[in-house]
Amino acid sequence: MNFDDSTTQQTSELELLKIQRDEARSQLKETRNMLQMVMDNLPQQIYWKNRQHRFLGCNKLFVEQFGLENPEDVLGKTDDEAELKLCDAIRALFKQREMEVMRHGIPQYHSLENVEADGEERWLDLSHVPLFRDGDIIGVLASYRDVTSRILDEEELRKHRDHLSDLVKNRTLALEAANQELANTNVDLGNANRALAEANKAKGQFVANISHEIRTPLNAVVAMTELMLDTQISQMQQEYLTTILDSADSLLFTINDLLDYSKIEAGKLELEYVKFNLRETIESSMKSLAVKAYEKDIELLIDVDPDIPGFVKGDPLRLRQIILNLVGNSIKFTTVGEIGISVKLNEFTSHYIDLQFQVSDTGIGIPEERQAAIFNAFEQVDNSTTRNYGGSGLGLSIVSQLVELMHGTISLSSEYGKGSKFSFNLVFELVEESFGGRRRDPKGKFKGKTALILDDNKEFIRIIGGSLKRWGFDVLVIENFEIFSKQILSEEGQIPDLLIVDSKMRDSGEIIDVVGAAKKFYGEKCKILFTLTRGEMLTKIEGDSILFSSAYMFKPIVDFELCEKLQSIFTSEDDNRHSGMMHKSVSLHSGESLNVLFVDDRPLNQKIGKALLTKFGHKVDFANNGEEAVEKSASQVYDIILMDIQMPKMDGYEATRHIRDREKKTGIHLPIIAVTANALKGDGDRTLEAGMDGYISKPIRSEQLQNALKKVMEQRGGC
Ligand code: ADP
């Protein structure tokens, strides 16, 4: 190789080296730029310095905090030379860290430093790591972040949390205190409740005792007045005594209401649960009000669905009380028109029957705004009610409670001045005899016969006409007495098989004349049935030469009784006079004289018993308590015992049990009738359980006593 060749070769190697160097430089630059770019994008301030604390580099975030733009502005400078506006405390801290790290070569990572910078508290998250070259420390790399706001937020959060937990703690304490207070209040309440229950019990007992004490002399007033009414007295004395009797009766009613009300208040009102004749209870309740209604010339109507069963299980006395209360109110608040009870079947299953009752009247009515209030205790329509009609305002509140106890509800619809309708339903349990023992409705039995109803009451015609049609009658109706009278006088019109005459359409004389003429015109084919409301009319009929053998029934008419009456009219020659449904029962006076043992610890009651029984021709002996009754009935022969229940030494139940035990040996049954102080107490059921044959309630009314004696003696086959 010649010189030129070698020179050329060297030159090209040099060129290559130059190119390689340029390439390396550009790569280095690129790497540095890349590194700077990474640094600039980190979310921390970063700088690195040599051992003389001069900047070797930094990122953008670092210079920007001092208002500089370019990291190169600080290169080669110390903090002072670069005029970085760092507060003294931070500058000192950085310096100290840099020195420590460069001296010991140990990194200090992420320490959280708290510095006071220009009067402000600041928090820095700070790392310093040594930079090495060939094992020697050549500088330090620092990175930091101001985390003051995060720390402050955390602090705020902590404070908030502390505050919350304080709140919770305080609330918990307050709640505990409230709980304690509640527990104390509960204890107080329990004590107060006990005291209240005691007070209620005492009050109930007090009311019971007082009413018993009032009832006993009142019973005597009622009984003695009734006895006096039966003696020879003047018209005026009769009126005075009747007023006494009415007042004593209404006082008794009020006392019973008060007693019931106090029981309701004490939650002690309990129902009896016995088998009883439903229809008879409804009908007899209505009949017991007949005298009062007809005294006011008000029609009383009973409309009981013929499909309703006879016997059910429930509380007959409370059912009676509901009816007496509602119908009694109707009579009180009605001056003209009619009062009716209707009973329909709502539904029945194999166990229960739900009946819909309605008591309606054509009385003064109840203004709409007072209709809800009158079901509350002591509420009346207005203040003048007591003045004009009397009453305590307790009746309806008791009735609604009783209805509720019998699983029913009660409602009222009324038009002021026109009348009221109280509707309620009651549920009773069916028993084996419910349908078996029922009086049968003889559908179609009188087919081919014609009945003429002479009556001016449309409801009566509807109800009785309906029954007659069911039994097969063709029914004719004449509502106007004049029209009937004209027909008879001119001997016109169809001749019926049955003439039902309302005896109060005209005065008794006119009725007797016209019906007498009708009897002549119609002849024997036509049977006459008078519906009566007063006893005097009966005397007139019996005294009339043509009509004396006519049949009669007292209103209110019960359809089953009417049916029985018609069967006897059309099937026998019986003159019917002595089987009439009088509202004064048939006297026992003419019957046998009984030997009665009257058991009662009160002399006043013995006096009443003696007066009533001797009036009917019976002989009376007395026992002062159950023990005496057991002894006397062992040594002497009596036909019947009337036994008081509450007595000292031995009560009526126990005495009866002793007597019944004794009879097991003799086989002779001595009838015992209980005389209960309060028939509503549930005594009825207990008396029968104790082996008694029946019961009557005080005050002993002569009619009630006669009926009870009659019933027992009939069962015995004696009367
Ligand atoms: P009392 O009849 O003893 O006043 P009640 O509770 O039985 O008490 O009745 C409350 C009130 O409701 C009566 O005072 C009367 O004002 C009114 N009232 C009840 N039934 C009737 C009725 N059938 N017609 C008109 N007002 C009635």
Side-chain angles (χ1 to χ4, degrees):
M1 186 198 309
N2 61 26
F3 176 74
D4 283 345
D5 285 346
S6 104
T7 308
T8 312
Q9 190 179 354
Q10 277 176 359
T11 308
S12 46
E13 278 174 2
L14 216 61
E15 283 290 313
L16 189 67
L17 279 174
K18 221 169 143 192
I19 289 166
Q20 284 175 340
R21 188 198 62 199
D22 286 348
E23 218 167 77
R25 263 192 197 147
S26 114
Q27 272 180 2
L28 190 67
K29 196 173 173 198
E30 205 172 303
T31 308
R32 204 177 273 154
N33 284 347
M34 179 69 79
L35 198 65
Q36 187 66 42
M37 196 175 74
V38 171
M39 292 285 187
D40 287 346
N41 282 296
L42 285 174
Q44 287 170 308
Q45 282 92 341
I46 299 170
Y47 69 85
W48 56 104
K49 288 180 176 173
N50 64 15
R51 290 195 68 101
Q52 287 72 44
H53 300 277
R54 288 183 184 282
F55 285 99
L56 293 173
C58 67
N59 69 352
K60 256 193 164 162
L61 213 59
F62 177 76
V63 285
E64 275 170 6
Q65 72 177 312
F66 305 113
L68 302 174
E69 270 179 23
N70 199 342
E72 284 176 5
D73 293 349
V74 299
L75 289 186
K77 296 178 183 170
T78 62
D79 292 345
D80 289 342
E81 289 164 358
E83 295 176 4
L84 301 181
K85 290 186 200 82
L86 262 177
C87 80
D88 291 346
I90 294 178
R91 184 184 298 235
L93 173 68
F94 281 9
K95 188 101 186 231
Q96 187 198 342
R97 286 287 157 87
E98 288 164 10
M99 281 173 21
E100 281 171 6
V101 167
M102 282 196 278
R103 188 177 306 139
H104 303 296
I106 299 168
Q108 293 194 13
Y109 288 118
H110 298 295
S111 63
L112 199 62
E113 292 293 341
N114 175 226
V115 266
E116 172 94 18
D118 300 331
E120 261 186 60
E121 192 178 41
R122 306 215 62 83
W123 292 89
L124 298 178
D125 182 3
L126 180 71
S127 300
H128 280 83
V129 293
L131 295 173
F132 290 97
R133 188 188 292 152
D134 301 332
D136 297 327
I137 298 168
I138 57 155
V140 61
L141 172 74
S143 72
Y144 65 93
R145 225 166 16 138
D146 188 334
V147 290
T148 307
S149 65
R150 196 192 81 202
I151 295 294
L152 287 182
D153 283 352
E154 280 174 5
E155 178 69 6
E156 191 66 21
L157 206 66
R158 191 185 53 74
K159 276 191 196 156
H160 191 64
R161 211 181 291 133
D162 287 352
H163 176 66
L164 270 181
S165 93
D166 281 352
L167 269 182
V168 171
K169 215 185 279 168
N170 290 342
R171 290 271 154 86
T172 310
L173 284 176
L175 209 66
E176 276 169 8
N179 271 344
Q180 186 56 43
E181 210 167 304
L182 201 69
N184 293 344
T185 314
N186 270 343
V187 171
D188 290 350
L189 209 66
N191 291 340
N193 264 342
R194 265 188 295 282
L196 194 71
E198 287 291 312
N200 258 342
K201 203 170 149 197
K203 192 176 77 183
Q205 195 59 45
F206 173 75
V207 174
N209 289 344
I210 284 286
S211 38
H212 188 72
E213 288 311 308
I214 298 174
R215 242 198 318 250
T216 307
L218 208 54
N219 289 343
V221 172
V222 170
M224 291 301 179
T225 313
E226 273 200 332
L227 282 172
M228 269 186 85
L229 273 168
D230 267 1
T231 58
Q232 287 284 334
I233 47 175
S234 70
Q235 176 79 25
M236 190 185 274
Q237 284 168 327
Q238 178 120 19
E239 275 170 25
Y240 290 166
L241 285 174
T242 309
T243 310
I244 293 176
L245 198 60
D246 284 350
S247 309
D249 263 345
S250 76
L251 201 54
L252 269 175
F253 218 85
T254 308
I255 290 166
N256 284 337
D257 272 359
L258 268 178
L259 197 62
D260 277 348
Y261 180 68
S262 81
K263 274 192 199 164
I264 288 171
E265 261 210 320
K268 292 251 170 66
L269 193 96
E270 281 171 16
L271 295 184
E272 269 195 6
Y273 198 56
V274 293
K275 195 170 72 186
F276 72 99
N277 191 323
L278 179 66
R279 298 187 68 104
E280 244 173 58
T281 305
I282 298 166
E283 290 158 3
S284 73
S285 307
M286 288 300 279
K287 280 186 189 171
S288 71
L289 291 163
V291 177
K292 264 194 190 158
Y294 289 114
E295 262 169 12
K296 293 180 83 174
D297 227 356
I298 299 167
E299 190 77 61
L300 212 52
L301 302 158
I302 305 175
D303 184 11
V304 181
D305 187 332
D307 287 334
I308 280 171
F311 283 92
V312 291
K313 235 180 180 186
D315 191 330
L317 292 172
R318 293 297 185 180
L319 170 61
R320 187 179 164 83
Q321 189 181 359
I322 293 172
I323 296 172
L324 291 191
N325 238 308
L326 293 177
V327 180
N329 272 349
S330 286
I331 295 174
K332 193 156 81 168
F333 296 108
T334 303
T335 42
V336 285
E338 69 217 16
I339 293 162
I341 187 167
S342 78
V343 189
K344 305 256 171 291
L345 209 60
N346 263 347
E347 61 169 324
F348 70 91
T349 65
S350 51
H351 291 95
Y352 293 95
I353 184 162
D354 186 337
L355 298 177
Q356 187 64 42
F357 291 75
Q358 190 176 75
V359 172
S360 54
D361 64 53
T362 51
I364 60 173
I366 298 162
E368 209 177 328
E369 66 278 10
R370 296 294 296 152
Q371 290 183 9
I374 55 159
F375 287 100
N376 298 333
F378 305 110
E379 288 280 357
Q380 299 185 314
V381 163
D382 59 37
N383 295 337
S384 66
T385 309
T386 316
R387 221 171 29 248
N388 297 331
Y389 301 95
S392 59
L394 281 176
L396 286 180
S397 113
I398 294 170
V399 163
S400 59
Q401 297 276 345
L402 290 176
V403 169
E404 214 173 283
L405 279 173
M406 294 189 191
H407 311 289
T409 49
I410 185 162
S411 64
L412 160 68
S413 78
S414 179
E415 209 177 320
Y416 193 44
K418 293 216 167 142
S420 310
K421 272 194 189 102
F422 287 87
S423 306
F424 57 99
N425 69 308
L426 301 176
V427 177
F428 297 101
E429 196 186 320
L430 292 171
V431 290
E432 236 172 69
E433 303 89 322
S434 286
F435 293 99
R438 192 158 55 122
R439 290 171 287 187
R440 282 192 48 221
D441 193 46
K443 288 196 182 74
K445 181 173 171 89
F446 298 99
K447 208 164 169 46
K449 291 197 189 313
T450 308
L452 170 60
I453 304 175
L454 178 60
D455 200 303
D456 53 5
N457 188 291
K458 290 197 161 49
E459 267 305 285
F460 178 85
I461 293 166
R462 183 186 67 77
I463 298 167
I464 297 304
S467 297
L468 291 172
K469 278 184 193 155
R470 226 175 40 242
W471 301 329
F473 281 100
D474 285 330
V475 178
L476 307 169
V477 174
I478 299 183
E479 291 179 45
N480 185 314
F481 194 78
E482 246 84 68
I483 295 177
F484 177 71
S485 176
K486 269 190 202 142
Q487 266 191 19
I488 295 301
L489 290 178
S490 54
E491 300 201 339
E492 282 171 1
Q494 191 182 339
I495 297 177
D497 299 287
L498 172 69
L499 172 65
I500 299 181
V501 184
D502 173 19
S503 65
K504 63 176 172 46
M505 279 182 104
R506 280 287 186 282
D507 69 57
S508 51
E510 203 174 338
I511 298 261
I512 295 282
D513 286 351
V514 175
V515 178
K519 174 87 187 158
K520 276 194 205 151
F521 167 45
Y522 292 156
E524 278 311 304
K525 174 188 179 250
C526 176
K527 310 289 179 200
I528 294 176
L529 173 68
F530 283 97
T531 56
L532 308 180
T533 52
R534 290 197 195 94
E536 311 96 74
M537 185 64 184
L538 182 59
T539 324
K540 295 250 164 73
I541 296 168
E542 284 181 328
D544 187 81
S545 56
I546 302 167
L547 298 173
F548 73 94
S549 64
S550 307
Y552 63 85
M553 288 182 81
F554 275 94
K555 283 187 171 182
I557 304 291
V558 171
D559 67 350
F560 275 106
E561 286 174 0
L562 173 63
C563 180
E564 269 171 28
K565 175 63 87 182
L566 296 181
Q567 281 178 355
S568 80
I569 289 175
F570 286 105
T571 53
S572 78
E573 289 305 308
D574 175 14
D575 72 3
N576 297 305
R577 273 180 301 166
H578 301 296
S579 57
M581 296 294 155
M582 301 176 71
H583 57 294
K584 288 270 181 216
S585 65
V586 182
S587 170
L588 263 185
H589 199 137
S590 53
E592 126 194 46
S593 163
L594 303 172
N595 230 345
V596 184
L597 178 62
F598 192 89
V599 192
D600 202 304
D601 57 316
R602 298 204 182 215
L604 191 59
N605 289 342
Q606 290 189 3
K607 215 164 153 185
I608 297 167
K610 183 172 181 179
L612 283 170
L613 289 162
T614 49
K615 188 176 116 183
F616 304 129
H618 303 305
K619 289 194 206 83
V620 199
D621 194 6
F622 296 100
N624 295 309
N625 55 54
E627 209 173 81
E628 270 185 45
V630 176
E631 282 165 17
K632 281 201 160 182
S633 61
S635 59
Q636 289 171 57
V637 178
Y638 298 105
D639 294 311
I640 192 162
I641 298 181
L642 291 176
M643 180 85 81
D644 186 24
I645 296 296
Q646 284 171 312
M647 287 179 290
K649 284 196 182 168
M650 187 187 284
D651 68 18
Y653 297 128
E654 206 185 331
T656 306
R657 265 180 237 119
H658 280 286
I659 294 171
R660 294 292 177 242
D661 277 350
R662 199 175 56 210
E663 286 175 346
K664 281 181 193 152
K665 290 178 208 137
T666 62
I668 297 168
H669 181 85
L670 175 58
I672 301 176
I673 294 179
V675 184
T676 65
N678 181 9
L680 302 177
K681 255 186 177 170
D683 287 346
D685 200 20
R686 288 184 66 196
T687 54
L688 300 181
E689 269 169 24
M692 298 178 174
D693 300 80
Y695 62 90
I696 54 176
S697 56
K698 288 181 186 173
I700 308 176
R701 313 300 285 256
S702 53
E703 186 190 347
Q704 199 194 6
L705 178 63
Q706 284 182 79
N707 286 336
L709 288 177
K710 188 170 173 250
K711 211 164 159 187
V712 169
M713 300 318 289
E714 269 171 5
Q715 277 165 8
R716 200 182 68 150
C719 268

